[in-house]
Amino acid sequence: MTLMPLDGLPQSAPTTDPPPAAPTTAEAPRTGLRSPAVARAVRLSVSLLPLLLIAAWAVVDWRSMYDGAARLASADPGWLLIAGVFTGLGWVAAACVRQGALPERLPPGLLLASQFAAGAANHVLPASIGAHAVTLRFLQRQGVPLARGTASLALYSLVKPVAKTVVLLVFLIAFPDMLHFGDLLPDSWTLVLLAGGTAAALTTTVVLLAVVPSLRRPVTGFLGTALTDARVLHTRPSRYLPLWLGAAATPLLQGSVIAAVGFALGLPLSWAQVVFALLIASTAVGAVPAPGGIGPVDAAMVFTLSDFGAPVALATATIIGYRVLTVWVPLLPGALVLSALVQREVL
């Protein structure tokens, strides 16, 4: 039926909008996965995962933990307290380096807590993967773009070995009498293999970028972001000073922890010898992918300390005590902090 309005023009009868279509079965599962209950369950599982990994590690490596704890029980508590102070300063140095590698300002308290939690994750996964993953998640939660966060991790990973090399050269100049470590230097074949492996890795990277065009854009974008951020950071003293000073202080603090533990057990070496031994050992085998450097670095440290004149048994006890103090003692608190940060959606 057609209605005639007052102006004489025809007008259609009003119609009503059709009801909204019911959600399809394909959309229903997505809604369920995004429900608050499922999200809470996922966060709870992620927060409990570090504790489960620690429990499994404790079952596998309980002998080392027991022996180290027994040796520390008979050590000088004053020196152990000093070692604990240096251990805490190591987390502060790590937070300084992380902040110095990023233009954005991060909340100091949460940054320090994230580095404490990252230390627990770093001792579970090799090659600092755990620490980098925790830090990258923290940066994203603070609103830092993924490209910039990844570039900061790359700058962090580059600055630390460069700063450690500078510290090593300073020690060589300041203490020339420590150059007697002949057997600690790699032989010619080892240097050839190292150079060959480095050249092969670079060649493979160049070939992949040349053959696979889809890799060029993300790689060039990442390099552009990294270079731009590095240039900006080095124009700001509030960034490059904590970046480089924190990276240079890290091996000194680690060596100071080992020296304090050694002094608590009666190690007959000086502080400079212990720190120099750590610099040599970590440089020689630091590239071996082991969780937190445990394993290869420990063996190299025992060998280096014994080369400086320490008894092998005492050097071994010092390294075991150092690992208990820096790994096992803060591991459970670090995992609890990691779980708390996940629960509060900081990570």
Side-chain angles (χ1 to χ4, degrees), residues 62-125:
W62 69 273
R63 173 60 66 180
S64 297
M65 181 182 61
Y66 176 80
D67 292 344
R71 292 182 182 277
L72 290 179
S74 60
D76 186 346
W79 279 113
L80 292 182
L81 179 61
I82 294 174
V85 172
F86 283 127
T87 301
L89 291 176
W91 296 317
V92 176
C96 290
V97 181
R98 295 290 188 186
Q99 176 61 89
L102 197 70
E104 290 85 352
R105 180 174 175 78
L106 302 172
L110 290 179
L111 176 59
L112 183 59
S114 71
Q115 293 311 292
F116 184 59
N122 190 45
H123 295 304
V124 177
L125 298 176

Side-chain angles (χ1 to χ4, degrees), residues 288-318:
V288 178
I294 297 175
V297 175
D298 292 347
M301 274 298 299
V302 172
F303 179 80
T304 310
L305 292 175
S306 62
D307 186 75
F308 278 114
V312 175
L314 189 54
T316 304
T318 298

Side-chain angles (χ1 to χ4, degrees), residues 256-275:
S256 298
V257 175
I258 299 175
V261 173
F263 298 157
L265 297 173
L267 188 71
L269 296 179
S270 66
W271 174 84
Q273 288 175 316
V274 175
V275 175

Side-chain angles (χ1 to χ4, degrees), residues 94-232:
C96 290
V97 181
R98 295 290 188 186
Q99 176 61 89
L102 197 70
E104 290 85 352
R105 180 174 175 78
L106 302 172
L110 290 179
L111 176 59
L112 183 59
S114 71
Q115 293 311 292
F116 184 59
N122 190 45
H123 295 304
V124 177
L125 298 176
S128 300
I129 295 177
H132 288 336
V134 171
T135 301
L136 185 60
R137 181 62 176 171
F138 170 73
L139 295 180
Q140 288 182 289
R141 283 293 187 178
Q142 297 302 314
V144 178
L146 179 60
R148 175 161 288 171
T150 306
S152 73
L153 296 184
L155 181 61
Y156 173 91
S157 302
L158 176 63
V159 166
K160 287 189 69 176
V162 172
K164 185 173 67 174
T165 302
V166 173
V167 173
L168 177 59
L169 294 176
V170 171
F171 265 72
L172 289 175
I173 296 173
F175 305 99
D177 56 326
M178 294 186 185
L179 297 175
H180 69 281
F181 50 86
D183 292 338
L184 299 177
L185 292 175
D187 55 22
S188 58
W189 282 109
T190 303
L191 294 177
V192 170
L193 290 176
L194 180 61
T198 303
L202 293 176
T203 303
T204 302
T205 302
V206 172
V207 170
L208 285 176
L209 293 177
V211 175
V212 186
S214 59
L215 292 178
R216 297 175 193 167
R217 184 173 182 179
V219 171
T220 53
F222 166 76
L223 291 177
T225 302
L227 293 176
T228 301
D229 287 352
R231 184 175 64 252
V232 171

Side-chain angles (χ1 to χ4, degrees), residues 14-17 34 45 57 80 125 148 169 179 185 199 242 247 254 295 321:
T15 59
T16 59
D17 295 333
R34 294 178 181 177
S45 301
W57 191 11
L80 292 182
L125 298 176
R148 175 161 288 171
L169 294 176
L179 297 175
L185 292 175
Q254 291 175 344

